[in-house]
Amino acid sequence: MKGVTVVEHPLVQHKLTLMRKKDTSTSQFRQLLKEIGGLICYEVTRDLPTETIRIETPLTEMQAQSLSGKKLVFAAILRSGMGMLEGMLELVPAARLAHVGLYRDPATLECVEYYFKAPAELADRWVIVVDPMLATGNTAIAAVDRLKEAGAKTIRMACLLASPEGLSKFRGHHPDVAIWTASIDERLNEHGYILPGLGDAGDRMYGTK
Ligand code: URA
């Protein structure tokens, strides 16, 4: 699908398999989500703009590459976005953070906003939306709507698993927002869960079930 990159790196796929297993413990799940977050972040930021700067090594001067432009913004969708965010921050510790609190109404599967806080000058920054599960697509669509309303112009989406239904709905609403995921699974079930999936990412990460 146009604008969708599946990160097929063997380390990502291996870690994802461990996360899918129902007997994987909460602490292992959390650790794996953090590690995959970093690996997916690496792919999402592959074409970040750089500039040439003059530096001195202990031996001589040289022209070297340095990230250019304003700091990145990682926009985590609460609560499961927090797990992936940790690994991304290890890679880009200077990134700014936005938090988007949205929950899915279990009856309608529509999302309801309960929290939003983002850095200033979003228009000049690369914004990477972080949500492990792109299921119905409703949450991701609402989060990107909100970030655009707040001024964001350059937006990418990092997730772990996506459903075909969610992907096409999301791309229909936000064709300018490219997505990176470790897998496009088979389909959604009647409760809006991804199949075969890995269950409820938030519950598995925080041990709340
Ligand atoms: N959210 C989850 O945590 N899992 C799914 O399968 C769908 C949405």
Side-chain angles (χ1 to χ4, degrees):
M1 193 183 291
K2 192 169 172 288
V4 180
T5 303
V6 177
V7 181
E8 280 164 352
H9 194 290
L11 286 175
V12 170
Q13 294 303 318
H14 180 76
K15 289 176 194 296
L16 174 58
T17 300
L18 295 175
M19 292 182 78
R20 287 183 190 276
K21 289 184 177 179
K22 67 178 169 76
D23 293 329
T24 295
S25 70
T26 299
S27 64
Q28 286 169 324
F29 189 91
R30 204 182 298 142
Q31 177 64 24
L32 288 160
L33 185 57
K34 174 176 150 182
E35 290 168 4
I36 289 198
L39 293 167
I40 291 179
C41 179
Y42 181 79
E43 294 296 335
V44 178
T45 54
R46 188 173 273 282
D47 59 343
L48 267 179
T50 58
E51 61 188 338
T52 305
I53 58 169
R54 185 141 200 94
I55 60 163
E56 280 179 46
T57 76
L59 300 178
T60 184
E61 289 194 346
M62 70 171 288
Q63 308 269 16
Q65 295 302 300
S66 175
L67 289 175
S68 65
K70 296 225 164 141
K71 290 187 167 57
L72 285 174
V73 174
F74 296 151
I77 301 182
L78 303 174
R79 64 184 166 153
S80 54
M82 298 303 290
M84 262 177 98
L85 186 66
E86 264 191 68
M88 296 172 68
L89 278 171
E90 279 193 358
L91 218 57
V92 191
R96 300 289 178 93
L97 298 186
H99 293 93
V100 187
L102 295 163
Y103 69 87
R104 286 200 306 175
D105 183 312
T108 62
L109 303 184
E110 293 300 319
C111 51
V112 184
E113 180 183 316
Y114 63 90
Y115 187 78
F116 182 83
K117 191 91 179 169
E121 300 170 5
L122 279 187
D124 305 329
R125 305 181 192 273
W126 269 41
V127 178
I128 301 177
V129 181
V130 188
D131 186 7
M133 310 300 277
L134 187 77
T136 61
N138 294 338
T139 312
I141 290 168
V144 172
D145 282 344
R146 191 66 181 81
L147 287 159
K148 285 184 175 174
E149 208 181 294
K153 296 208 165 13
T154 308
I155 307 178
R156 294 182 169 193
M157 171 96 206
C159 57
L160 176 62
L161 288 189
S163 73
E165 299 93 324
L167 279 177
S168 49
K169 189 166 183 190
F170 181 87
R171 292 285 300 161
H173 276 76
H174 294 297
D176 55 315
V177 178
I179 300 175
W180 279 255
T181 180
S183 171
I184 303 173
D185 273 16
E186 274 169 45
R187 65 180 175 88
L188 291 179
N189 72 9
E190 62 280 18
H191 304 293
Y193 278 83
I194 298 174
L195 290 178
L198 49 73
D200 187 300
D203 281 342
R204 295 203 59 192
M205 189 169 74
Y206 292 118
T208 43
K209 208 167 214 172

